[in-house]
Amino acid sequence: AQGRVAESLAMQENALEITRRTQGPDSDSFANFLSNLGVSYTSQGMFAEALARFEEGLSIVRRNHAERNALEGKLLANIGTVYSRQGKLEDALGMFKKALRIFRKTLGPESEEAAASQANIGVALLQLGKVDEGLEMFEGALGIMRRMLGDECQEVVAHLCTMGDCKKKAGDVGGAIECFREAQSIYGRSGVSDGVAADVAAGLARLGGGV
């Protein structure tokens, strides 16, 4: 498995060099490729490599655009994710807040990117022990997802499950059960009963909310 991961990363690095030559080292296309490569490094826990790619991409975007740009928000959010994985929660929170401001300005407050940033802020706040603030951000993110994508989409289910976990940890068992029951109901209407759906059912049973 490690060999395949190394091979995949090497192929992405080669593709990055091709993009550098064909699109130019100062293009947004190259910066976006750096961002995607950084995400791959993050997924493997190679945080120094990831940050180097994100920061290079961020420098390019800021040179290219006097005004805020959605790609800048994407890179800041990715840096926040690395900081979060490293346990640097205050630094992560700062990056997520910057990303949210940019997404609201460039893509609008009801965009999927803004919702994801709000959810990231919620996670960071909860990890910092700021439960009420964190749940408020999650509620806001969930509301955007519902309005954008409807109540039946997988993104809404994922937000419901995360919020249920957060409410359970905060001691709000009733609120957690409510979230998990709605997620279970969506899975039921979709005909999904295995994988995450089974985990939700098991979690509900442990909380005393199973049906």
Side-chain angles (χ1 to χ4, degrees), residues 50-130:
L51 285 173
R53 303 312 184 279
F54 294 145
E55 287 165 0
E56 184 180 354
L58 192 59
S59 296
I60 293 168
V61 173
R62 286 176 169 170
R63 287 196 302 271
N64 289 346
H65 302 277
E67 298 293 325
R68 292 297 182 233
N69 178 277
L71 182 52
E72 179 182 4
K74 177 182 176 180
L75 286 156
L76 288 168
N78 288 339
I79 291 171
T81 298
V82 172
Y83 287 158
S84 180
R85 293 276 301 273
Q86 291 177 319
K88 300 175 181 178
L89 299 178
E90 290 286 359
D91 292 335
L93 181 60
M95 289 294 172
F96 292 143
K97 285 181 175 180
K98 289 179 181 178
L100 177 58
R101 287 195 294 271
I102 290 172
F103 287 139
R104 281 175 169 169
K105 181 176 180 180
T106 59
L107 302 176
E110 293 285 301
S111 63
E112 187 173 348
E113 290 82 358
S117 289
Q118 281 191 227
N120 286 335
I121 290 169
V123 170
L125 287 167
L126 288 162
Q127 290 174 326
L128 288 165
K130 301 176 181 180

Side-chain angles (χ1 to χ4, degrees), residues 6-41:
E7 183 179 353
S8 174
L9 289 171
M11 289 175 64
Q12 290 181 68
E13 287 283 3
N14 288 336
L16 178 69
E17 288 307 310
I18 293 172
T19 304
R20 186 195 299 269
R21 291 195 301 271
T22 58
Q23 302 294 321
D26 295 315
S27 66
D28 282 0
S29 296
F30 183 64
N32 190 59
F33 207 113
L34 283 165
S35 177
N36 294 337
L37 180 56
V39 169
S40 295
Y41 279 121

